[in-house]
Amino acid sequence: IPVFILAGLLVHCVFLVSIFDIYFSSPLVHGMTPQQTLLPPPAKRLVLFVADGLRADSLYELDSNGTARAPYLRSILENNGSWGISHTRVPTESRPGHVALIAGFYEDVSAVAKGWKENPVEFDSVFNESKYTWSWGSPDILPMFAKGATGDHVYTFCYAAESEDFGAEDAAKLDIWVFDHVKSFFNSSRSNQTLFSALNEEKVVLFLHLLGIDTNGHAHRPNSREYQENIKQVDEGVKEIASLIDNFYGNDGKTAFILTSDHGMTDWGSHGAGHPSETLTPLIVWGAGVNYPQKVTSQVFEDNFLKEWKLENLKRLDVNQADIAPLMASLIGVPFPLNSVGTLPLEYLNTSALFKAESMFTNAVQILEQFKVKMSQKQETTLSVLFTPFKPLSASEQINFLKKIRLYIEQQKYDEAVSLCKTLINLALDGLSYYHTYDRLFLGLSIAVSFVGWTTYVILVIIKAHTNLTKTVPANKKKSTVLFYGFASAGMIITFFLLIQTCPWTYYIYCLLPVPVWYAVVKEIPVIQDLATNVLSLHIGQSVGFLLVCILGIEILVFSFFYRSALTVGLLVFAGWPVMTQLWIQAKTKALIWTLLCVLLAIFPLMPVVGREPNIPLVIAAGLLTILISFFSLASLCKSGKKYRDNEDLKVYFYQMFSVALSTYVVVSTHNSLKIKQGLPVMNQIISWMTLVFSPVLLLLSPTFLFERLFSILLSLMSTYLLLSTGYEALFPLALFGLMFVWINMEQEALQHYGLSLKPKLAVFNFTSTMDITQFRQLHLDDVRRSFFFVFFIVTAFFGTGNIASINSFDPASVYCFLTVFSPFMMGGLLLLKVAIPFVLVSCAFEAVQVTTQLSSKSLFLIVLVISDIMALHFFFLVKDYGSWLDIGTSISHYVLVMSLTIFMMVMNGLAQLLTTQRLGLPRRNKHHSM
């Protein structure tokens, strides 16, 4: 069986990774020639301020008393410059945001794996094309533009990574550091001749990366006083730097200024997905070559921001984030970055019509260059018979366009030239996307075929090995040899076909995967025939009814990803299960408790999602409740007449209870310390990490009797979970565990109800007592319901704690007991652990259900696999890469979540067996096993 599990894991990993290859591969091409406008540019130098994590509404809106949050910037957009909203794309993270701003293209999602730090791909940028660039700010952002640069004309000045502390007194000091260093840089240049003359060159860029706002947003949320104070400080800093630079250059009017942001932030202080609060960022441009404010009487936008911000009469010029790179390039007259897909926003420029038309022409030729390279790449790797070119931009059409535009410019018909350039740019972008997604249908079909094949195979394995629906059919040697050679030759043909076209190695995996999967299915044809005859002899009505119920169940699960309340409906239906099946007649008390706990758990999916305010009293309540329940349980265990073999076992429980109490204390004291801006106490940090490491060890010291071991698992997991909790979710594992506990008992009753077995005494049941293989029973229809319950509880375990079906369903505040200095992988790991803890509880209960209902753990698990694969297939077809960024982000998140859950369940299955059956033997002398 390990072979089967391994194969399953591999297949699912391929399914998960395929989505990124099919929908989100790197759009970059190399081998274009730089394009530049030859007319003199309006500015000699450009100053770029990027206020990391600044939302558009936070900057533009007025305070409650009607004053501007950033008075200097407000006066700029009212009197000196142009303004608008820059629309960013998913993933809204710092790295892709800066790449879009400075290099003009949208990074592929695969860069997530690189942690956004290094250059996963080489790319050109405005900094690289400049004569000199000086930059100040975060060590996470600056180095990647210096690394990508040819030669050494990009200089960086960074603070230490440790400064990015969410628990620090005030993150605004990160911005003050930048402003102070820029001031001292200019002061020192007066006495340094080389630097002074370099600063007076043309094509110079100064880049100030301001991370304070982002850090304050993570730590205190964007609606906090800290975040808004930080905006005021940035405003003052920008004002000082702007006047310093103007004075340094003797007010020569040759400096252009741009202030924008890389991404916004949700109300609960996270970013990464496509909510408008994350994708709308401010853009203010002023100085040399930039248009003055344009007064208008009315302007139409889908959002109602203009009224709120009292800016209805000033023309708002919206751009896509990548359009800022060509704007910077044309202001200082450097070549457009080679991979840029931005369109120059002409409305920001205050230059001659000729300059605008020439710049637009350069822009069009630069994007057309990329199109040509992409097309020739695709042509080389596709058989000429199968190659279908992008019709609207054939070679003759391209020449036609370029000639026409040139002619218009020569005839001084600049407006016509500009509009033709825009048409050409849009066509070239469509063409780029056409060739980029050229193989999508073919790869998507391969994966879908594998998906269906795999699910069919698992169903066949269940029917053949675990039910008595089919007789064992002797294998026909001759037929199977023919089959083998048939499939092998199909594999050879596919490989040959891919070889001729020099496809990437991943294509081989996607296209060859259906071959072995379907070979395994077709080999079982006798089973299918046998099954067909058996099913026909069954009651048709029953079978159809059963199928409909299955489909309905799975659709509710799929629906719950869009609307969490679907889980509440499901749980209320579960509450009525004992009544529907007459189970309550034989076990009234258990049925009543089951119904009450189902209703209690049904409340959780209706609770507010991530982003609520921390509610520490609820965490304290959860801790105290856990300890209270422990005392009662221990008392009843001692009463039950089972004399403890020794006091060691009791000691383990007391250590665990102490650990829960300690965790509760740590949460409270850490929260208070952060509230008064004193950072994370070192002692608390040590205790947190010790709890994390030692609680699983304590768990493995407890007895392996069913109830005692499950109870010990709860205590162990609770002590870690409390440290990661900030509100009501701390109570969730308790409610869930209560229900799981009753579930184990109810399943016993169900077994008896269907007369499948005698009722073993649960109290004396031991996880380690090896099951006699002969005692395993065959699967029964009721086992499909058992598996469905498990999948349903797993999904509830995810959504019940306030998670949302999105990559940004995390709240950085959850990890503050462990660390406050920004570290994406460490924080991500802890947040994953928080998600996993309720899963472990459900998996352990499921393990207990399997053992006590005399099933081999494999058979039920296979049904679970089928249910989750059918769900995943739904989401595979729902993935899209068009429409609003919210939809795209959500569709990827859903698929990744379902696939991860499936892979997770395989791992959990193994983990649950380990947690329930293993026990560490301790030499009985040592009495001091504690923290």
Side-chain angles (χ1 to χ4, degrees), residues 529-589:
Q529 291 166 339
D530 198 22
L531 179 68
T533 49
N534 270 348
V535 167
L536 290 176
S537 63
L538 285 175
H539 212 281
I540 297 287
Q542 264 182 341
S543 313
V544 173
F546 175 69
L547 260 175
L548 283 176
V549 169
C550 287
I551 293 168
L552 181 72
I554 290 175
E555 291 309 319
I556 283 186
L557 283 176
V558 170
F559 208 59
S560 70
F561 276 73
F562 299 96
Y563 304 100
R564 296 163 69 229
S565 47
L567 291 171
T568 303
V569 176
L571 282 165
L572 293 176
V573 173
F574 281 9
W577 167 59
V579 182
M580 291 180 238
T581 52
Q582 311 275 298
L583 267 178
W584 65 283
I585 299 171
Q586 69 190 52
K588 286 197 173 56
T589 340

Side-chain angles (χ1 to χ4, degrees), residues 413-490:
K413 294 183 179 171
Y414 299 128
D415 291 348
E416 289 90 334
V418 165
S419 79
L420 205 55
C421 285
K422 285 183 176 166
T423 314
L424 179 56
I425 288 176
N426 290 332
L427 279 176
L429 289 174
D430 289 346
L432 269 173
S433 134
Y434 170 81
Y435 287 120
H436 186 58
T437 59
Y438 193 80
D439 300 325
R440 179 170 299 172
L441 183 69
F442 149 72
L443 290 177
L445 279 174
S446 294
I447 293 292
V449 168
S450 309
F451 236 125
V452 175
W454 166 259
T455 312
T456 316
Y457 176 64
V458 178
I459 293 174
L460 287 174
V461 169
I462 296 172
I463 287 168
K464 189 174 148 192
H466 301 285
T467 66
N468 36 24
L469 285 176
T470 58
K471 313 184 286 296
T472 43
V473 187
N476 183 335
K477 275 274 172 62
K478 197 174 171 190
K479 260 189 187 168
S480 55
T481 327
V482 173
L483 262 182
F484 177 74
Y485 284 119
F487 274 92
S489 50

